[in-house]
Amino acid sequence: MADGRGKIRLFVQERLSEGAAVAAAPGQAHYLMDVMRLATGAPVLLFNGRDGEWLAELAPDGRRGCRLICRARVRAQTAPPDLWLLFAPVKKARTDFIVEKATELGAARLLPVLTRRTAAERVREDRLRATATEAAEQCGRLDVPEIDTARPLSGVLAGWPSGRALVFCDEAGDAGGAGGAPPFLAVAPAAPAAILVGPEGGFDPEEAATLRAHPAVVAASLGPRILRAETAVAAALALWQAVRGDAA
Ligand code: SAM
């Protein structure tokens, strides 16, 4: 799809190198030829998360297909900061919003976690991957974040990797924020890091106590107001990138 500068960017799986001819997937060919009505030779940017960004030219292939011929690498591959987002799935549209914002805000990996109060319907990973891919194409990222299969939070914590700090966005504490967790900016850890945001119903007291007792976990407040989960995700990721990431 078109990025924020109007250039058409597509995520592909194939290796990218000079002269490589990448066969557009049917949906991509339809978008390029029928929706955007691109002519032969039209420029399209390709990225695959490994080989940087390549300027390619469109070459029709048969009645409805097309190939993209790589002409020049225009950006070297870079990796986003090593930041994971753990989030409890919420209602479908809002979960899509979480995935879209987390991609735009540079999360490297998204881990849907099932908490005691998670009330989401089944998590459709394929749908989330499509959302993340479209967001990566639009925002100019050179990769698409990994999206894990949804797992219970307890299992994720049990196998937590050493050396990675986990910021638990803790909305507890009274409305004035007194007695609550310290401000996010005061505790934001350097990469490798992770941020956890709970479901619409929040974390249950036992879950919150387990989190606070976990050696890798630091609790953080996002202020005195109770934010929707998707707002908390965007706020926490933006704050982290501003002090520890690539927006610093
Ligand atoms: N338990 C909340 C309530 O009392 O209505 C609802 C949870 S909130 C909608 C969803 C998640 O966003 C929370 O579990 C937390 O992770 C995060 N969150 C929301 N507001 C926050 C705040 N002020 N500080 C830290 N985290 C917050």
Side-chain angles (χ1 to χ4, degrees):
M1 75 172 287
D3 70 4
R5 300 179 188 90
K7 292 209 183 84
I8 294 180
R9 301 182 75 241
L10 290 181
F11 176 72
V12 296
Q13 303 288 350
E14 291 82 351
R15 249 183 65 66
L16 300 173
S17 58
E18 186 157 359
V22 176
Q28 293 174 328
H30 167 67
Y31 170 70
L32 294 172
M33 298 175 72
D34 304 330
V35 175
M36 302 307 289
R37 308 180 73 75
L38 295 187
T40 301
V44 177
L45 292 170
L46 302 180
F47 65 103
N48 62 8
R50 306 183 302 280
D51 299 326
E53 183 173 73
W54 282 76
L55 179 64
E57 286 174 1
L58 184 141
D61 184 10
R63 253 173 43 75
R64 307 189 63 75
C66 66
R67 291 184 309 152
L68 297 156
I69 318 296
C70 293
R71 294 296 180 220
R73 192 181 74 171
V74 292
R75 279 201 291 164
Q77 185 65 37
T78 54
D82 189 358
L83 174 68
W84 296 355
L85 171 71
L86 284 70
F87 67 96
V90 288
K91 295 226 176 10
K92 203 163 22 180
R94 294 182 185 282
T95 296
D96 284 355
F97 183 88
I98 285 174
V99 169
E100 184 179 76
K101 298 315 146 197
T103 302
E104 292 172 53
L105 287 164
R109 183 176 172 192
L110 310 184
L111 298 87
V113 288
L114 306 174
T115 67
R116 299 224 178 122
R117 294 180 183 167
T118 298
E121 308 96 51
R122 195 174 72 79
V123 178
R124 291 271 316 275
E125 278 97 19
D126 57 330
R127 190 188 144 94
L128 298 186
R129 281 193 190 91
T131 301
T133 300
E134 199 166 316
E137 290 170 343
Q138 181 276 332
C139 73
R141 268 184 79 143
L142 291 174
D143 70 315
V144 176
E146 282 174 67
I147 300 184
D148 281 39
T149 305
R151 285 181 293 159
L153 174 61
S154 53
V156 174
L157 291 178
W160 193 255
S162 63
R164 184 177 295 272
L166 172 57
V167 182
F168 155 44
C169 291
D170 182 1
E171 77 278 15
D174 62 38
F184 188 97
L185 288 187
V187 297
I195 292 171
L196 166 64
V197 170
E200 283 160 27
F203 293 98
D204 93 351
E206 208 180 306
E207 230 167 23
T210 304
L211 280 162
R212 290 193 194 96
H214 192 288
V217 171
V218 58
S221 167
L222 292 170
R225 287 169 294 280
I226 298 293
L227 310 177
R228 283 189 181 279
E230 59 271 27
T231 312
V233 162
L237 288 172
L239 285 171
W240 190 88
Q241 290 291 13
V243 286
R244 296 289 194 184
D246 56 14

